[in-house]
Amino acid sequence: MDKFQKITGVAAPMPLVNIDTDMIIPKVFLKTIKRSGLGVNLFDEMRYDRQGNEIPDFVLNKPQYRGAEILVAGDNFGCGSSREHAPWAIADFGIKCVISTSFADIFFNNCFKNGILPIVLPQEEVDLLMKDAEKGENARVTVDLEAQEITTSDGTAITFEVDPFKKHCLLEGLDDIGLTMEKGAAIDAFEAKASSARPWV
């Protein structure tokens, strides 16, 4: 998993509330067990018409937001079923941070395990960031995880809270496997001791 420390990039405004995981990545794309390749189908039913053509008015189809790394969303983002394909698709598209007033718990935790920083802010601060994002590609936002601070395009600073353990994992690029491998020496020592004590096992 890539380390998340600080990003400066375009923020895409998506003020819809109750964006569920089926909207993020429809169930037809859940056959894969690979984390890559799902970005093209992120928000598939909102991005494309029935013929597979892009819908120009959808925010991520607009030229100024195609390279967005930050998503400013409405309340209750990631609700619905617990599919991990949703953060896979978001990460594969290139979005590294999602900001909202609230997230579904399972989606929220899955984001951290896939290198995405979900940030919860009060409504008035989300509204400020939403308005800033509407300026387009010239409005670049900085998200600094170490400092726990967001800086808008006009220099306004907004602080945010994050669980210290989850912060550590993102800063170091540690998913569940990475966390286990940090204990590699201790695991090897235990296995050697167990093998010596019970060679018949």
Side-chain angles (χ1 to χ4, degrees), residues 4-9 69-70 96-97 141-145:
F4 186 116
Q5 295 172 337
K6 180 192 287 189
I7 58 170
T8 297
E69 294 182 273
I70 302 161
K96 298 178 174 66
C97 176
V141 175
T142 296
V143 178
D144 186 335
L145 176 56

Side-chain angles (χ1 to χ4, degrees), residues 90-124:
I90 290 171
D92 192 60
F93 182 87
I95 292 171
K96 298 178 174 66
C97 176
V98 183
I99 301 168
S100 179
T101 54
S102 69
F103 295 88
D105 287 344
I106 294 175
F107 175 84
F108 183 80
N109 289 316
N110 280 340
C111 280
F112 286 102
K113 295 179 180 182
N114 288 280
I116 302 165
L117 173 61
I119 297 176
V120 177
L121 292 174
Q123 186 67 62
E124 60 270 20

Side-chain angles (χ1 to χ4, degrees), residues 57 100 154:
D57 288 340
S100 179
D154 64 3

